[in-house]
Amino acid sequence: MIDYRSDNTGRAAPEILEALIRANHDTALGYGADEWTATLQRRFSELFETAVRVFPVATGTAANALSLAAASPSWGIVYCSEAAHINTSEANAAGFFGGGLKLVPVAGEYGRISAERLAETLAAIAPGQLHRGQPAAVNLTQASDLGTVYSLAEIRAVAEAARSRGLKLHMDGARFANALARLDCSPAEASWRCGIDIMSFGATKNGGALCDAIVVFAPELADGLAVQLRRAGQVWSKMRFASAQLLAYVENELWLDMARASNAIAARIAAGLAGIPGARLLAPVEVNEIFLELPGAVMDALEADGFGFYRRSKTLARFVCRFDTTEAEADALIAALRRHLMPSAARAAE
Amino acid sequence: MIDYRSDNTGRAAPEILEALIRANHDTALGYGADEWTATLQRRFSELFETAVRVFPVATGTAANALSLAAASPSWGIVYCSEAAHINTSEANAAGFFGGGLKLVPVAGEYGRISAERLAETLAAIAPGQLHRGQPAAVNLTQASDLGTVYSLAEIRAVAEAARSRGLKLHMDGARFANALARLDCSPAEASWRCGIDIMSFGATKNGGALCDAIVVFAPELADGLAVQLRRAGQVWSKMRFASAQLLAYVENELWLDMARASNAIAARIAAGLAGIPGARLLAPVEVNEIFLELPGAVMDALEADGFGFYRRSKTLARFVCRFDTTEAEADALIAALRRHLMPSAARAAE
Amino acid sequence: MIDYRSDNTGRAAPEILEALIRANHDTALGYGADEWTATLQRRFSELFETAVRVFPVATGTAANALSLAAASPSWGIVYCSEAAHINTSEANAAGFFGGGLKLVPVAGEYGRISAERLAETLAAIAPGQLHRGQPAAVNLTQASDLGTVYSLAEIRAVAEAARSRGLKLHMDGARFANALARLDCSPAEASWRCGIDIMSFGATKNGGALCDAIVVFAPELADGLAVQLRRAGQVWSKMRFASAQLLAYVENELWLDMARASNAIAARIAAGLAGIPGARLLAPVEVNEIFLELPGAVMDALEADGFGFYRRSKTLARFVCRFDTTEAEADALIAALRRHLMPSAARAAE
Amino acid sequence: MIDYRSDNTGRAAPEILEALIRANHDTALGYGADEWTATLQRRFSELFETAVRVFPVATGTAANALSLAAASPSWGIVYCSEAAHINTSEANAAGFFGGGLKLVPVAGEYGRISAERLAETLAAIAPGQLHRGQPAAVNLTQASDLGTVYSLAEIRAVAEAARSRGLKLHMDGARFANALARLDCSPAEASWRCGIDIMSFGATKNGGALCDAIVVFAPELADGLAVQLRRAGQVWSKMRFASAQLLAYVENELWLDMARASNAIAARIAAGLAGIPGARLLAPVEVNEIFLELPGAVMDALEADGFGFYRRSKTLARFVCRFDTTEAEADALIAALRRHLMPSAARAAE
């Protein structure tokens, strides 16, 4: 199979697994009181050019839900895109860890929320209207769940709408590396300098193995979060093996190299699609995901060819590139699409 | 330092980390739909001689809290030992994941609960007394939090008291391997054949790295648990790297070899203590933990000697042996205790 | 002020308050073990022509949220109308009492959900897709939040779609009396005979004072609910004073008489509106609520005239009739609307 | 039956029910935006000699659980007496509304907690020990669940221990009126001037009907609580009927008169017991409850005589006096006890 199903079906970067083996010596205090975790705090603070607190967690769902639970009281409303992963794919973990907090979708383009629509939504809620719950936080997915990227100006606009009502701003950065590679700016510029208070820092989808992290920029959120993480069963006693993964992930720009690689493959496919009249993208290809409207028969044919991908609806296919997806695999997909969507042209080319 | 602080300060078994590297090839579906996780189901079903469902989780806290949440309604009472890890050391994760369930201690000896006392407690609650909440489940720690082991007969007695009121029985098996090595029986005999419905299957404290597991014997508990785990952020997308650890852990009796090793070191120390009049054990040494009543000055002296251990109170020290604690380290501890508790005898021996 | 703000701004029926005074003699066991509450069980079982369990609660929010928490596991999805009270006006009480359950809107007309759209939504969720949570229950508001009424056939269709996937069906009957008066059928026909499993039985909005009730038709939901109610602080120790209110409410058809009265006033206003070209109803007037699209200036003018009502948006006004709203008040509203919407006609008529 | 079962088996004060009827005129905005509720704020602020916020709630369980949820984060530890109502009789409502907070008993005499023991307990928890959860609040029951009363000095000592660690102090004042009548001081002296931050203000057990209240002294707790109450279904839409009850309750010292009456009857019984050698009190009789150690045969005999009371164990009976328990009923109980405990003396007296 040529696998475009997801970026979580792939291998881990060998450097990350080797880091586990290198960390396997001597004894070290448990639950994060080890030297790897201390180094992680320093290393991420350098990376983000400010003092951050970093908490390794097992999954992106844990990172998102616990971040939001830290950013919102239990009666809070958290605004997000209709397509946001927290809204569609996490079994309402945010509602659970948040003690009943509620997700409310805000419209926007291509999986992003619109700052204008957010401001309008907030303006329609008078502060004393207790029966609605209280606006508490905003969630952005960067890159978005439709494979697009917020510009820094767009994040700032959302942050401003949020901040003016005292809301916290959370970034679901499951594909933060891919977004950063696209934006070509510093981690600081793409996060707290735009107004992000707390962030799910993804690694798994970009060559990681068994951990993601929460990065806290707003210091007042960190202490409560630390207890919640412990209670949530998200604090490994042998934390060194988690922290070592995250250290390896950012060492020598490994994370950005992997993101650039998967983005480049997606861009190569998108470029190839440009020449195929019937290939209609649902959203611009800005990172490593391609959402393509395709007739069901073409999807059937691709599967018969041995391609793996997800059918998001009867006429929508999603193709995801991994850090180790090859140019040959990209070209094979383009050729197959050309073959199925432009049968005569494809035959002529043969 | 000669480190007796905890069994979670130690290294992982190299076999477990190497299994990660061996699993790092090709693509595999996420969230447990991979072949390693399928193998894990089969392998544990063989190991336990019955069809079980196995769910890898990040931590023992997650294993315990989610097991209890599966075994009890949110208004349930869960009975446990006063010393139980869920009661003392997990930030009330059981209460949180269980939606407000309540832990109620039951007395017993050496960290175990007494079947008789459990039966009395249950007899004092009339079924219709809604103001108390409803008895729902019982938690046993095997080995116990004071380093002792329930006999099979003791478990059966607790199970009978529980079952007669319709309560589920959960075993916190953070040190199940150590208990099993001590009992010298099969995993099946020590678990479901004694009446256990669901179990936290520990690996981390016994040479594991980044995962433990929940093993479900009562099939009706599994489907709800599966959703809860997803919502709890305890289902890794690259699950193969968790399942591979657990497969390596039980391969060729690795887990039992490691448990036998740490138990043997603890037994060696206990034997050495027998000759030291001032050394008073809080509980029999049945697995890899030693709870020793010591004057504060002796604890100070041990620390000055370079020993690491936990002070559980001003006069109680805990020493924990790991799978790789050496006989030399054991003998050094005995000698130091002899030196500090029997200064004249120690001098005479020199 | 002529008050059309809400049916909860009004007086209680005197019969209901007098019942409190009549119940104020002798001693009686607390928490529902009194004779009034026993009578309530019998009386409602007669009323609904089947054995029901009735639990008085303080508010409709409590009735709804605890009913849904009984009908759904904590990881459940509860389907409802976008306009449903549980979705817009209860501070996510359902999510809170339900331990993180999630409300998901289903489209339909005039505040109702469409059975077809519900069936489509359910068909799009494969049973094993744990990341979405699990479909668990459906909520209907009868009368709806836009003042319309489900026909019995419509309820049956929703019930069938729900039942075929194992979902429970909850009716938010905050205005059940008004709906029943409109449907002109028996309570049984309008509830469990259509497939309702559990119901919020409203009294407050229809001349009640301090309590509503949960009526349980599906017996398996009742025992857990009883504990939840106690834990939720919804079980009065002097329960007789709640049960006496509910007994008085249904005595001699008081509830239906009051509902018929408020419905009749709304119908009188709707009839009056028919002659006013600019008066556009948002939804048919089927019970005691009128949703009227009006220019802001007309709303200003009505307020200047001394009418009270809610502005649901800049161009939408809601008028609610109470059991004691008078025909004169209705006629005054019609005249005022005629005056403001048809100034020349109104002047001509003078 | 001569009923000593509980103070919640009794009638309501007629003044309180009549207040409902007096409030039943005109329309009034819902959910507390009415004039009765505004008056309630002013009246209680006068009563407590400081600006308080008062929230009527349906039950004492709601008052306690929501107060504690306001005073503690969800990972908090709340210290209370082993005998505290929140610990024994509220189905862990505090754990539920508190999102998993944990109750931890602190020892003391006669149902009170000891300031010294609280201070010791807190001293044994290092601030960074996340695995325990975090000390957050302290609960006092005034009068206590064994019918005793904290002196002002005792409350101040507990408050000081709590405050020095940043803990909030909650008073469960289900029988606050009885305690106040005993202490013979002002409400202010018995509450916030001693360091109470938030209080469950009981009325039901002392002649109330259908509501208690939360009184908030620490203003930072009130806004979040207001949303929680709405979400908890504890905000009546026709709030005037709750506020009117509470206004009548404190009007012309009605509440204190009723408490003095029930206290006096209990004192009369206690004085009568003094002459009966076999009558052993479990705790001093300081308010309206009498805990009496009695042989089972004597309890049987009392029941045969027509007395109602609760058997708290095989040898412990509880007798509770209501505001309308009569001196004749008291004398009848004394005579019966004398008869059963001193058969020969009783016969001699005849």
Side-chain angles (χ1 to χ4, degrees):
Chain A
M1 187 210 297
I2 296 184
D3 192 345
Y4 286 101
R5 291 177 297 181
S6 180
D7 32 16
N8 63 34
T9 63
R11 297 181 303 129
E15 293 88 336
I16 288 174
L17 298 185
E18 283 153 17
L20 292 179
I21 291 180
R22 279 203 313 277
N24 196 29
H25 60 83
D26 293 324
T27 64
L29 265 182
Y31 302 106
D34 61 87
E35 67 190 75
W36 290 266
T37 307
T39 302
L40 180 69
Q41 308 303 312
R42 287 194 303 272
R43 184 69 193 88
F44 270 57
S45 294
E46 287 163 20
L47 193 66
F48 281 99
E49 303 170 49
T50 190
V52 298
R53 303 245 326 246
V54 196
F55 299 96
V57 292
T59 65
T61 293
N64 286 335
L66 285 154
S67 291
L68 291 170
S72 169
S74 70
W75 55 83
I77 299 172
V78 174
Y79 298 96
C80 63
S81 164
E82 181 77 42
H85 204 261
I86 57 169
N87 192 41
T88 64
S89 305
E90 301 185 356
N92 201 21
F96 172 67
F97 281 106
L101 68 76
K102 188 173 181 183
L103 302 178
V104 171
V106 169
E109 257 190 337
Y110 303 136
R112 297 181 296 238
I113 69 175
S114 146
E116 289 73 28
R117 300 298 294 272
L118 174 62
E120 285 167 26
T121 299
L122 291 172
I125 300 186
Q129 291 182 303
L130 306 186
H131 63 289
R132 297 202 178 186
Q134 297 293 291
V138 177
N139 160 273
L140 297 179
T141 310
Q142 177 78 316
S144 86
D145 291 274
L146 294 181
T148 60
V149 172
Y150 286 87
S151 71
L152 301 188
E154 286 170 329
I155 301 176
R156 272 186 231 112
V158 170
E160 193 174 308
R163 207 57 64 92
S164 69
R165 276 290 283 264
L167 279 61
K168 297 287 182 192
L169 188 54
H170 168 250
M171 178 177 279
D172 174 357
R175 293 188 180 90
F176 181 61
N178 297 84
L180 204 58
R182 167 82 183 192
L183 289 170
D184 199 22
C185 68
S186 73
E189 285 171 312
S191 59
W192 62 275
R193 287 206 179 116
C194 285
I196 304 298
D197 292 300
I198 189 166
M199 179 190 206
S200 300
F201 181 90
T204 305
K205 290 181 193 294
N206 183 38
L210 287 172
C211 75
D212 291 331
I214 299 173
V215 178
V216 183
F217 302 111
E220 71 275 14
L221 301 183
D223 286 341
L225 176 59
V227 195
Q228 286 264 50
L229 283 162
R230 189 67 174 266
R231 187 171 67 156
Q234 291 286 344
V235 180
W236 284 283
S237 60
K238 291 183 175 167
M239 183 66 93
R240 59 164 124 175
F241 294 118
S243 296
Q245 289 178 60
L246 291 166
L247 286 168
Y249 179 65
V250 299
E251 182 81 9
N252 294 324
E253 299 215 342
L254 173 62
W255 64 314
L256 294 173
D257 288 345
M258 292 193 287
R260 285 178 200 124
S262 57
N263 283 4
I265 294 294
R268 183 183 188 97
I269 294 169
L273 294 175
I276 307 176
R280 211 179 140 280
L281 289 168
L282 182 74
V285 176
E286 297 180 354
V287 285
N288 66 325
E289 293 192 289
I290 297 159
F291 291 84
L292 196 57
E293 298 187 15
L294 289 177
V298 172
M299 292 199 250
D300 293 344
L302 287 173
E303 286 181 346
D305 290 342
F307 290 96
F309 56 93
Y310 279 137
R311 297 177 180 228
R312 296 289 282 258
S313 78
K314 287 177 183 170
T315 58
L316 182 64
R318 187 190 72 162
F319 301 86
V320 189
C321 303
R322 302 179 317 280
F323 78 95
D324 58 356
T325 305
T326 63
E327 296 193 350
E329 289 174 322
D331 295 342
L333 177 60
I334 297 165
L337 283 166
R338 182 179 299 269
R339 202 158 60 236
H340 299 308
L341 287 166
M342 306 170 62
S344 53
R347 268 195 303 277
E350 278 161 18
Chain B
M1 188 209 298
I2 296 184
D3 193 345
Y4 286 101
R5 290 176 298 180
S6 179
D7 32 15
N8 62 35
T9 63
R11 295 181 305 129
E15 294 88 336
I16 288 173
L17 299 184
E18 282 153 17
L20 292 179
I21 290 179
R22 279 204 312 278
N24 197 28
H25 60 82
D26 294 324
T27 64
L29 264 183
Y31 302 106
D34 61 87
E35 68 189 75
W36 290 266
T37 307
T39 302
L40 180 70
Q41 308 303 312
R42 288 194 303 273
R43 183 71 193 85
F44 270 58
S45 294
E46 289 163 19
L47 192 67
F48 282 99
E49 303 171 50
T50 190
V52 299
R53 300 234 343 237
V54 195
F55 299 97
V57 293
T59 65
T61 293
N64 286 336
L66 285 155
S67 292
L68 292 170
S72 168
S74 70
W75 55 83
I77 299 172
V78 174
Y79 297 97
C80 63
S81 163
E82 181 76 42
H85 204 260
I86 58 168
N87 192 41
T88 64
S89 305
E90 301 185 357
N92 200 21
F96 172 68
F97 281 107
L101 67 75
K102 188 174 181 182
L103 303 178
V104 170
V106 170
E109 258 191 336
Y110 302 136
R112 297 180 298 238
I113 69 176
S114 145
E116 290 73 28
R117 299 299 295 271
L118 174 62
E120 286 166 25
T121 298
L122 290 172
I125 300 188
Q129 292 182 304
L130 307 187
H131 63 289
R132 297 203 178 186
Q134 297 294 290
V138 178
N139 160 274
L140 297 180
T141 310
Q142 177 77 316
S144 86
D145 291 275
L146 292 181
T148 60
V149 172
Y150 286 88
S151 72
L152 300 189
E154 286 170 329
I155 300 177
R156 270 185 232 111
V158 170
E160 193 175 307
R163 207 56 64 92
S164 69
R165 276 290 282 266
L167 279 60
K168 298 286 180 191
L169 188 55
H170 168 250
M171 177 176 279
D172 175 357
R175 293 188 181 91
F176 181 61
N178 297 83
L180 204 58
R182 168 82 183 191
L183 289 169
D184 199 22
C185 69
S186 73
E189 286 172 310
S191 58
W192 63 275
R193 286 206 179 117
C194 285
I196 303 297
D197 293 299
I198 188 167
M199 178 191 208
S200 300
F201 181 90
T204 305
K205 289 182 194 294
N206 183 38
L210 288 172
C211 74
D212 291 332
I214 299 174
V215 178
V216 183
F217 303 111
E220 71 276 14
L221 301 182
D223 286 340
L225 176 59
V227 195
Q228 286 264 51
L229 284 162
R230 188 67 174 265
R231 186 171 67 157
Q234 291 286 343
V235 180
W236 284 283
S237 60
K238 291 182 174 168
M239 183 66 93
R240 60 164 122 173
F241 295 116
S243 296
Q245 289 178 60
L246 291 165
L247 286 168
Y249 179 66
V250 299
E251 182 81 9
N252 296 323
E253 298 216 343
L254 173 62
W255 64 313
L256 294 174
D257 288 344
M258 292 193 287
R260 286 178 198 121
S262 56
N263 284 5
I265 294 293
R268 183 183 187 95
I269 295 169
L273 294 174
I276 307 176
R280 212 178 140 280
L281 288 168
L282 182 74
V285 175
E286 297 181 353
V287 286
N288 65 324
E289 293 192 288
I290 297 159
F291 290 82
L292 196 56
E293 298 187 14
L294 289 178
V298 172
M299 293 199 248
D300 294 344
L302 287 172
E303 287 180 346
D305 289 343
F307 291 97
F309 56 93
Y310 279 136
R311 296 177 180 229
R312 296 290 281 258
S313 78
K314 286 177 184 171
T315 58
L316 182 65
R318 187 189 72 162
F319 301 85
V320 189
C321 303
R322 303 179 316 281
F323 78 95
D324 58 355
T325 305
T326 64
E327 297 192 350
E329 289 174 322
D331 295 342
L333 178 60
I334 297 164
L337 284 165
R338 182 178 300 270
R339 201 159 59 235
H340 299 307
L341 287 166
M342 307 171 63
S344 51
R347 268 195 302 275
E350 278 164 16
Chain C
M1 187 211 295
I2 297 185
D3 193 344
Y4 285 101
R5 290 177 298 181
S6 180
D7 32 15
N8 62 35
T9 63
R11 296 180 305 129
E15 293 88 336
I16 290 173
L17 298 185
E18 283 153 17
L20 291 179
I21 289 179
R22 280 203 313 277
N24 197 27
H25 61 82
D26 294 324
T27 64
L29 263 183
Y31 303 106
D34 61 87
E35 68 190 74
W36 290 266
T37 307
T39 303
L40 180 70
Q41 308 304 311
R42 288 193 302 273
R43 183 70 193 88
F44 269 58
S45 294
E46 288 162 20
L47 191 69
F48 282 100
E49 303 170 51
T50 190
V52 299
R53 300 236 339 240
V54 195
F55 299 96
V57 292
T59 65
T61 293
N64 286 335
L66 284 154
S67 291
L68 292 171
S72 168
S74 69
W75 56 84
I77 299 172
V78 174
Y79 297 96
C80 63
S81 163
E82 180 78 41
H85 204 261
I86 57 168
N87 193 40
T88 64
S89 304
E90 301 184 357
N92 201 22
F96 173 67
F97 281 107
L101 68 74
K102 188 174 181 182
L103 303 178
V104 171
V106 169
E109 257 191 336
Y110 302 136
R112 297 181 297 239
I113 69 174
S114 146
E116 290 73 28
R117 299 298 294 270
L118 174 62
E120 285 166 24
T121 298
L122 291 171
I125 299 187
Q129 291 183 303
L130 307 186
H131 63 289
R132 297 203 179 187
Q134 298 292 291
V138 177
N139 160 273
L140 296 180
T141 310
Q142 176 77 316
S144 85
D145 291 274
L146 293 181
T148 60
V149 173
Y150 286 88
S151 72
L152 300 189
E154 285 170 329
I155 300 177
R156 271 186 232 110
V158 170
E160 193 175 307
R163 208 56 63 94
S164 69
R165 276 289 283 265
L167 278 60
K168 298 285 181 193
L169 188 55
H170 167 250
M171 178 177 278
D172 174 357
R175 293 187 180 90
F176 181 61
N178 298 82
L180 204 57
R182 168 82 184 193
L183 289 169
D184 199 23
C185 68
S186 73
E189 286 171 312
S191 58
W192 63 275
R193 286 205 179 118
C194 285
I196 303 298
D197 293 299
I198 188 166
M199 179 190 205
S200 300
F201 181 90
T204 306
K205 289 180 193 294
N206 183 40
L210 286 172
C211 74
D212 292 330
I214 298 174
V215 178
V216 183
F217 303 110
E220 72 275 14
L221 301 183
D223 285 340
L225 176 59
V227 196
Q228 285 265 50
L229 284 161
R230 189 67 173 266
R231 187 171 66 157
Q234 290 287 343
V235 181
W236 284 284
S237 60
K238 291 182 175 169
M239 183 65 93
R240 59 165 123 173
F241 294 117
S243 296
Q245 290 179 60
L246 291 165
L247 286 167
Y249 179 66
V250 299
E251 183 81 10
N252 295 325
E253 298 214 343
L254 172 63
W255 63 313
L256 293 174
D257 288 344
M258 291 193 287
R260 286 179 199 120
S262 56
N263 283 4
I265 294 294
R268 184 182 186 95
I269 294 170
L273 293 174
I276 309 175
R280 212 179 140 277
L281 288 168
L282 182 73
V285 175
E286 297 181 351
V287 286
N288 66 325
E289 292 191 290
I290 297 159
F291 290 83
L292 195 57
E293 297 187 14
L294 289 177
V298 172
M299 292 199 249
D300 294 344
L302 287 171
E303 286 180 347
D305 290 342
F307 290 97
F309 56 93
Y310 279 137
R311 298 178 180 225
R312 294 291 282 258
S313 77
K314 287 177 183 170
T315 58
L316 182 64
R318 187 189 73 161
F319 300 85
V320 188
C321 304
R322 303 178 316 281
F323 78 96
D324 59 356
T325 305
T326 64
E327 297 191 352
E329 288 174 323
D331 296 343
L333 178 60
I334 297 164
L337 283 166
R338 182 179 300 270
R339 202 158 61 235
H340 299 307
L341 286 167
M342 305 171 64
S344 52
R347 268 194 302 276
E350 278 162 20
Chain D
M1 187 210 298
I2 297 185
D3 193 344
Y4 287 100
R5 290 177 298 181
S6 181
D7 31 17
N8 62 34
T9 64
R11 295 181 306 129
E15 294 89 334
I16 289 173
L17 298 184
E18 284 153 17
L20 291 179
I21 289 179
R22 280 204 313 278
N24 196 27
H25 61 82
D26 294 324
T27 63
L29 263 183
Y31 302 106
D34 61 86
E35 68 190 74
W36 290 266
T37 308
T39 302
L40 180 69
Q41 308 304 312
R42 286 194 303 273
R43 184 69 193 87
F44 270 57
S45 294
E46 288 162 21
L47 192 68
F48 282 100
E49 304 171 49
T50 189
V52 299
R53 300 234 343 237
V54 195
F55 299 97
V57 293
T59 66
T61 293
N64 286 336
L66 284 155
S67 291
L68 291 170
S72 167
S74 69
W75 55 84
I77 299 171
V78 174
Y79 298 96
C80 63
S81 163
E82 181 77 41
H85 204 261
I86 57 167
N87 192 42
T88 63
S89 305
E90 301 185 356
N92 201 21
F96 172 67
F97 281 108
L101 67 75
K102 188 173 181 182
L103 303 178
V104 170
V106 169
E109 257 191 336
Y110 302 136
R112 296 182 296 240
I113 68 174
S114 146
E116 289 72 28
R117 299 299 294 270
L118 174 62
E120 285 166 25
T121 298
L122 291 172
I125 300 187
Q129 292 183 302
L130 306 186
H131 64 289
R132 297 203 178 186
Q134 296 293 292
V138 177
N139 161 273
L140 297 180
T141 310
Q142 176 77 315
S144 87
D145 291 275
L146 293 181
T148 60
V149 172
Y150 286 87
S151 71
L152 300 189
E154 285 170 329
I155 300 177
R156 271 185 232 112
V158 170
E160 192 175 308
R163 207 57 62 91
S164 70
R165 276 290 283 263
L167 278 61
K168 297 287 181 192
L169 189 53
H170 168 250
M171 177 176 279
D172 175 356
R175 294 186 180 91
F176 181 61
N178 297 83
L180 204 58
R182 167 81 184 192
L183 289 170
D184 199 21
C185 68
S186 73
E189 286 171 313
S191 58
W192 63 275
R193 286 205 179 119
C194 286
I196 303 298
D197 293 300
I198 188 167
M199 179 190 205
S200 299
F201 181 91
T204 305
K205 289 180 193 294
N206 183 39
L210 287 172
C211 73
D212 291 331
I214 299 173
V215 179
V216 183
F217 302 110
E220 71 276 14
L221 300 183
D223 286 340
L225 176 59
V227 195
Q228 286 264 52
L229 283 161
R230 188 68 174 266
R231 187 169 67 157
Q234 291 286 345
V235 180
W236 284 285
S237 61
K238 291 182 174 169
M239 183 66 93
R240 59 165 124 175
F241 294 117
S243 296
Q245 290 179 60
L246 291 166
L247 287 167
Y249 179 66
V250 299
E251 184 80 10
N252 294 325
E253 297 213 346
L254 173 62
W255 65 312
L256 294 174
D257 288 344
M258 293 193 287
R260 286 180 198 121
S262 57
N263 284 3
I265 294 294
R268 184 182 187 95
I269 295 169
L273 294 175
I276 308 175
R280 208 178 144 282
L281 289 168
L282 182 74
V285 175
E286 297 181 352
V287 285
N288 66 325
E289 294 191 288
I290 298 159
F291 291 83
L292 196 57
E293 298 187 14
L294 290 176
V298 173
M299 292 199 250
D300 294 344
L302 287 172
E303 286 180 346
D305 290 342
F307 290 97
F309 56 93
Y310 279 137
R311 296 178 180 228
R312 295 290 283 257
S313 77
K314 287 177 183 171
T315 58
L316 183 64
R318 187 191 71 162
F319 301 86
V320 188
C321 304
R322 302 179 316 281
F323 77 97
D324 58 357
T325 306
T326 63
E327 295 192 351
E329 289 174 322
D331 295 343
L333 177 59
I334 296 165
L337 283 166
R338 181 178 300 270
R339 201 159 60 236
H340 300 307
L341 287 167
M342 307 170 62
S344 53
R347 266 193 303 277
E350 278 162 18

